[in-house]
Amino acid sequence: MTDAQKLLTIKTILEDGGEMPSDEKLTTYLSVAASEILSWIYHLVGGVPEGVSDVPAKYEMTQIYAVVTGYTQAGAEGEEIHIENGVHRNFKYTEMLDYIHNNVLPIVRVGAVT
């Protein structure tokens, strides 16, 4: 899936008649999610191998949903909690990372890392 297709998928998921985030903002989220996915996959075996820069196809939807999760959980102006008319909203900035860590399996190896 290309980045443009991922961006379109995210916009379709986020579409609710409100203001749509900019392509630049969503592309940044995609890039951060890709970096974290690759780091998480290879963190037990010495880091991301040289030349690996694309999210594996099996984790592309995880990347998309991590962006949606991260974007929708971002509070306004650094808020951690917002209470209005008796409605409590809690924002947790680690939601995107937690989503990735809970849905991506790291590569493991038996023996010492060389």
Side-chain angles (χ1 to χ4, degrees):
M1 183 181 294
T2 67
D3 284 345
Q5 290 169 317
K6 291 176 186 177
L7 195 60
L8 181 60
T9 302
I10 292 166
K11 286 180 162 188
T12 301
I13 293 169
L14 290 176
E15 188 175 50
D16 65 356
E19 187 176 323
M20 186 61 64
S22 69
D23 286 359
E24 183 179 356
K25 180 176 266 190
L26 293 178
T27 300
T28 300
Y29 271 84
L30 273 170
S31 177
V32 169
S35 178
E36 183 61 27
I37 287 169
L38 291 174
S39 293
W40 188 250
I41 288 172
Y42 295 105
H43 79 279
L44 296 174
V45 293
V48 180
E50 193 172 314
V52 175
S53 60
D54 294 331
V55 171
K58 70 180 181 179
Y59 290 125
E60 287 177 337
M61 288 308 296
T62 301
Q63 180 187 17
I64 288 168
Y65 282 115
V67 169
V68 170
T69 299
Y71 179 78
T72 59
Q73 291 297 312
E77 298 176 357
E79 287 182 315
E80 291 182 11
I81 187 168
H82 180 84
I83 303 169
E84 186 175 331
N85 297 328
V87 176
H88 295 244
R89 293 184 180 94
N90 294 300
F91 305 106
K92 189 173 172 189
Y93 292 98
T94 60
E95 288 293 326
M96 188 164 103
L97 297 179
D98 289 344
Y99 186 86
I100 290 168
H101 294 178
N102 289 326
N103 290 283
V104 174
L105 296 174
I107 294 173
V108 295
R109 199 180 290 160
V110 176
V113 177
T114 58

